[in-house]
PDB file of all heavy atoms in Angstrom:
ATOM      1  N   VAL A  16     -77.268  46.152 194.006  1.00  0.00           N
ATOM      2  CA  VAL A  16     -77.318  46.469 195.433  1.00  0.00           C
ATOM      3  C   VAL A  16     -77.882  45.297 196.243  1.00  0.00           C
ATOM      4  O   VAL A  16     -77.289  44.915 197.261  1.00  0.00           O
ATOM      5  CB  VAL A  16     -78.139  47.754 195.678  1.00  0.00           C
ATOM      6  CG1 VAL A  16     -78.406  47.986 197.147  1.00  0.00           C
ATOM      7  CG2 VAL A  16     -77.499  48.963 195.032  1.00  0.00           C
ATOM      8  N   PRO A  37     -84.405  35.108 201.856  1.00  0.00           N
ATOM      9  CA  PRO A  37     -85.670  35.843 201.890  1.00  0.00           C
ATOM     10  C   PRO A  37     -86.442  35.677 200.584  1.00  0.00           C
ATOM     11  O   PRO A  37     -85.829  35.606 199.501  1.00  0.00           O
ATOM     12  CB  PRO A  37     -85.270  37.270 202.180  1.00  0.00           C
ATOM     13  CG  PRO A  37     -83.989  37.219 202.853  1.00  0.00           C
ATOM     14  CD  PRO A  37     -83.305  36.007 202.244  1.00  0.00           C
ATOM     15  N   GLN A  55     -83.628  39.324 189.164  1.00  0.00           N
ATOM     16  CA  GLN A  55     -82.381  39.519 188.494  1.00  0.00           C
ATOM     17  C   GLN A  55     -81.251  39.352 189.509  1.00  0.00           C
ATOM     18  O   GLN A  55     -80.202  38.726 189.238  1.00  0.00           O
ATOM     19  CB  GLN A  55     -82.314  40.854 187.818  1.00  0.00           C
ATOM     20  CG  GLN A  55     -81.121  41.009 186.918  1.00  0.00           C
ATOM     21  CD  GLN A  55     -81.200  42.317 186.111  1.00  0.00           C
ATOM     22  OE1 GLN A  55     -82.083  43.143 186.250  1.00  0.00           O
ATOM     23  NE2 GLN A  55     -80.228  42.494 185.250  1.00  0.00           N
TER      24      GLN A  55
END
Side-chain angles (χ1 to χ4, degrees):
V16 171
Q55 190 172 5

